[in-house]
Amino acid sequence: MEMTELFWTFSLEEIKKGYAYIGEKGHSRCLICGEQFEEGQVFRLPGEDKWYDARRYAAYHVESVHGSMLGYLLGLDKKTNGLTDLQKDLIRDFAAGLSDAEIVKKAGSGSASTIRNHRFVMKEKAKQAKLLLAVIELMEAGVPLETPKFVPVHRNATQVDERYAITEAEHQSVLKQYFPQGLDGPLTHIPRKEKKKISILRHIASYFEPGQRYTEKQVNEQLKKFWVDDYVTLRRYLIQYGFMDREEDCSEYWLKV
């Protein structure tokens, strides 16, 4: 199971911590970048004479490398976390312990009553979210095992809509159709239909490692294995559809986990 899919299987408590213990694998894993810390090993803190076990070091890794999990979750776009920029700013202020009056002063506008109303609305949304989660879990408990499963939508997908409603069977069918010589390529061509295009890009993106930085030349060499005639288009689509990102000067590329 890849990191994008695995992220949505974690519990609320694990998401809040930013790491989870994967029992069948015997390691703790960062939910943000996927780095793994094997159980039974000890890890030395950089520049210090302190040693942590895998789970404690995973917590240290999240904080030292990624900042806070709250900051990471707030940094996701609206289609992922459902929050407006104003709500994100307010949550940061609430988390920092600022009073309503201090938030008004910081913003330079509004009133304490407006801030209190925002607090109330967010608490009500939290209650609704808990109920919705309970309803969905009860619903899925009664879903027959033969019900088609959907391919998970990667967290940085752009404009999530019906294009991403792809079942696992559909995904495998597309790969078989457009990679007739095998999954390592070459690709016959890029289809016009968005669903099929997304399936193909998802597969190609899996050949890049999370957390690794690539030069443009390295990206090109990998993509040429799939479509030597127009690897530039593949590279553009990977970025356009949110599978990869790059520096403004194109000096480095990386997989968006």
Side-chain angles (χ1 to χ4, degrees), residues 26-239:
H27 62 244
S28 291
R29 177 181 292 186
C30 172
L31 273 60
I32 299 176
C33 68
E35 187 165 348
Q36 302 172 8
F37 307 95
E38 297 296 326
E39 288 292 311
Q41 295 186 8
V42 290
F43 302 83
R44 184 174 183 175
L45 269 65
E48 297 187 42
D49 192 22
K50 291 183 179 180
W51 298 80
Y52 285 171
D53 63 20
R55 301 189 199 193
R56 192 174 180 188
Y57 194 82
Y60 166 80
H61 164 84
V62 172
E63 181 178 356
S64 61
V65 175
H66 304 295
S68 70
M69 197 61 186
L70 175 62
Y72 170 75
L73 294 175
L74 289 177
L76 299 174
D77 55 29
K78 184 180 178 182
K79 64 178 172 54
T80 304
N81 59 30
L83 298 169
T84 66
D85 290 339
L86 173 60
Q87 289 172 327
K88 292 178 182 181
D89 289 339
L90 289 172
I91 290 173
R92 292 186 183 96
D93 291 339
F94 294 154
L98 298 183
S99 67
D100 295 346
E102 289 172 327
I103 294 174
V104 171
K105 183 178 180 180
K106 177 184 174 184
S109 62
S111 66
S113 62
T114 300
I115 302 302
R116 284 195 296 273
N117 184 60
H118 280 297
R119 285 185 189 267
F120 174 78
V121 170
M122 281 191 278
K123 287 183 179 295
E124 290 302 301
K125 285 185 177 292
K127 294 177 184 178
Q128 293 170 355
K130 287 182 179 179
L131 289 178
L132 177 60
L133 182 59
V135 168
I136 295 299
E137 289 182 351
L138 289 170
M139 177 194 73
E140 291 185 338
V143 173
L145 293 177
E146 63 271 16
T147 300
K149 295 184 180 297
F150 288 96
V151 173
V153 179
H154 58 290
R155 280 177 281 166
N156 297 287
T158 54
Q159 298 180 347
V160 177
D161 49 33
E162 67 276 2
R163 297 176 301 167
Y164 290 88
I166 306 167
T167 66
E168 292 179 354
E170 288 174 328
H171 178 62
Q172 294 303 320
S173 176
V174 168
L175 297 186
K176 185 177 180 180
Q177 177 183 357
Y178 289 90
F179 295 92
Q181 296 183 41
L183 296 180
D184 291 335
L187 171 69
T188 57
H189 65 280
I190 296 181
R192 290 180 177 274
K193 191 171 182 179
E194 290 289 281
K195 270 191 176 185
K196 293 183 177 181
K197 186 186 298 181
I198 289 169
S199 276
I200 288 171
L201 293 173
R202 184 179 191 271
H203 172 68
I204 293 175
S206 70
Y207 281 74
F208 294 91
E209 293 294 328
Q212 184 172 335
R213 295 273 175 153
Y214 298 88
T215 64
E216 186 169 89
K217 181 179 179 181
Q218 289 174 318
V219 173
N220 291 344
E221 289 304 312
Q222 180 62 62
L223 297 182
K224 285 178 182 178
K225 298 175 183 178
F226 294 104
W227 200 15
V228 68
D229 292 335
D230 199 357
Y231 58 88
V232 174
T233 295
L234 284 180
R235 191 182 68 213
R236 174 165 55 85
Y237 279 154
L238 286 171
I239 294 172

Side-chain angles (χ1 to χ4, degrees), residues 213-219 239 245-254:
R213 295 273 175 153
Y214 298 88
T215 64
E216 186 169 89
K217 181 179 179 181
Q218 289 174 318
V219 173
I239 294 172
D245 205 348
R246 65 184 178 187
E247 297 290 354
E248 290 187 5
D249 61 359
C250 300
S251 59
E252 288 187 321
Y253 292 72
W254 60 91

Side-chain angles (χ1 to χ4, degrees), residues 15-27:
I15 291 176
K16 285 162 59 179
K17 290 189 299 184
Y19 70 93
Y21 173 64
I22 314 296
E24 66 274 16
K25 299 292 185 180
H27 62 244

